[in-house]
Amino acid sequence: MRDASTPQQTIMVCDQAQTAALLDFTELIDAIARAARELDTGTLLSPERMVVPLGEGGVLLSMPATAQDIAIHKLVNVLPGNAQRNLPTINGVVTVCDAATGKVVCLLDGPEVTGRRTAAVTMLAIRTFLEHAPRDILLVGTGAQSRYHVQAIHALYPDAKIWVRGRDLSSAVTFCDRNRELHRHLEGVGSSAPEVDVVITATTSTEPVYDEPGRGGCLVVGVGAFKPEMAEIGKVTLDSSAIYVDEPEGARHEAGDLLRAGVDGSKVTSLASALKDGVDRSRPAVFKSVGTAAWDLAAARVVLAALANNPV
């Protein structure tokens, strides 16, 4: 970990490996639950993210959030064409500041924060909406976000079996072979899969990749689609399920799954409300996550606590 020094202050800069080491999944889940409550009461502010076109088909995303203790600004660039260049699709940084003084405390790796906090939101949804620890999970997608979900599932539910579905059986099997060191209970599947407790879609598809009737005791989580033109979960699933979202305001503009299916926004419940009021876990449930800088702020809190306990 290196220091970028000025006469006024010292800023701690954490690379990807250091950021990962500071973000324990269990701590992160609890921090996100706290942030969800604060977001609901207005003590944490996270305005709609700014999206600016960048390069060939890419976007620059600016996402600030402030609370009574800290503030953060995540700036990330998403360039899908980088896959053809053998470069990361996402690059960026999270700036963490002290709320009282405005002093910049540290810089975190943006993609690592994003990947871990997104997977942690899914784990919080599982904890909130499922009656028991999941035994079987269907993971749709074979990209970076699916890898983060494998890590999170292993941290929280090491005995769960993860069935992986990709564009085809070959891509699913390849993903499992490459990530078996993260979780040994991985198996690729084609179009059919056994009955599972949780379905997680982590793709950037513009067409639904999961559209089965809702089933009591089964949770469907959509995390990949973050633009109105994207859609992972189909109308059949949505029409037969209770629908929850991580951040209602963002979902109204960015949850393409819900927009395409014509979901009535008044019938959508926030994560904060579910945490506060509880849920009927016997009902089919869909949890749609579009992301918010509030979750990045939660991650920053985990990092600062870890650094306070283990100074470098």
Side-chain angles (χ1 to χ4, degrees):
M1 200 170 288
R2 66 183 179 83
D3 291 340
S5 299
T6 70
Q8 292 78 28
Q9 60 183 4
T10 298
I11 302 172
M12 190 170 293
V13 181
C14 302
D15 63 16
Q16 182 176 11
Q18 293 157 345
T19 300
L22 293 165
L23 285 174
D24 174 80
F25 276 111
T26 300
E27 298 294 331
L28 189 49
I29 292 166
D30 290 338
I32 290 171
R34 172 190 170 187
R37 296 185 181 97
E38 292 177 344
L39 192 62
D40 187 55
T41 60
T43 55
L44 191 160
L45 302 177
S46 177
E48 185 178 347
R49 62 185 156 204
M50 180 183 293
V51 182
V52 183
L54 177 68
E56 294 291 330
V59 292
L60 180 152
L61 304 175
S62 174
M63 303 171 63
T66 62
Q68 295 177 344
D69 53 341
I70 64 170
I72 66 96
H73 180 206
K74 184 168 77 173
L75 191 66
V76 294
N77 303 322
V78 184
L79 275 298
N82 278 0
Q84 307 302 319
R85 306 181 182 99
N86 292 318
L87 295 172
T89 300
I90 301 176
N91 291 277
V93 65
V94 177
T95 304
V96 184
C97 309
D98 176 75
T101 65
K103 176 184 176 181
V104 177
V105 179
C106 63
L107 303 179
L108 306 175
D109 183 82
E112 191 67 26
V113 170
T114 302
R116 285 183 167 260
R117 61 82 150 154
T118 302
V121 171
T122 298
M123 297 304 106
L124 177 58
I126 291 174
R127 189 174 79 181
T128 303
F129 298 108
L130 215 60
E131 287 187 301
H132 54 76
R135 293 177 286 268
D136 291 274
I137 299 171
L138 174 62
L139 178 59
V140 183
T142 56
Q145 191 55 70
S146 291
R147 180 179 170 87
Y148 282 112
H149 274 73
V150 169
Q151 293 180 66
I153 291 167
H154 182 75
L156 276 296
Y157 307 108
D159 296 325
K161 180 70 172 285
I162 305 176
W163 306 85
V164 180
R165 179 185 293 166
R167 293 182 182 274
D168 49 42
L169 180 59
S170 176
S171 64
V173 171
T174 298
F175 176 87
C176 293
D177 290 342
R178 288 177 176 173
N179 293 285
R180 212 171 299 281
E181 80 280 1
L182 300 177
H183 188 76
R184 63 192 179 108
H185 307 298
L186 287 173
E187 186 168 336
V189 294
S191 58
S192 61
E195 190 170 285
V196 298
D197 308 297
V198 181
V199 177
I200 302 168
T201 60
T203 76
T204 55
S205 180
T206 56
E207 295 295 331
V209 296
Y210 184 85
D211 196 20
E212 301 295 327
R215 177 170 50 81
C218 179
L219 171 66
V220 178
V221 181
V223 303
F226 64 95
K227 295 180 181 179
E229 62 268 26
M230 294 177 175
E232 298 183 288
I233 303 171
K235 184 174 176 61
V236 171
T237 302
L238 292 167
D239 284 349
S240 56
S241 305
I243 302 174
Y244 301 85
V245 296
D246 63 338
E247 205 283 290
E249 190 60 35
R252 290 188 188 98
H253 306 288
E254 298 174 340
D257 324 65
L258 310 190
L259 294 172
R260 180 177 300 194
V263 172
D264 184 348
S266 67
K267 297 181 179 179
V268 174
T269 305
S270 70
L271 173 61
S273 294
L275 292 171
K276 180 174 60 176
D277 302 326
V279 297
D280 179 358
R281 293 189 176 95
S282 67
R283 292 192 62 196
V286 168
F287 177 75
K288 174 61 185 175
S289 174
V290 294
T292 165
W295 312 152
D296 301 305
L297 188 146
R301 282 172 168 164
V302 173
V303 167
L304 295 179
L307 291 172
N309 292 328
N310 298 282
V312 292

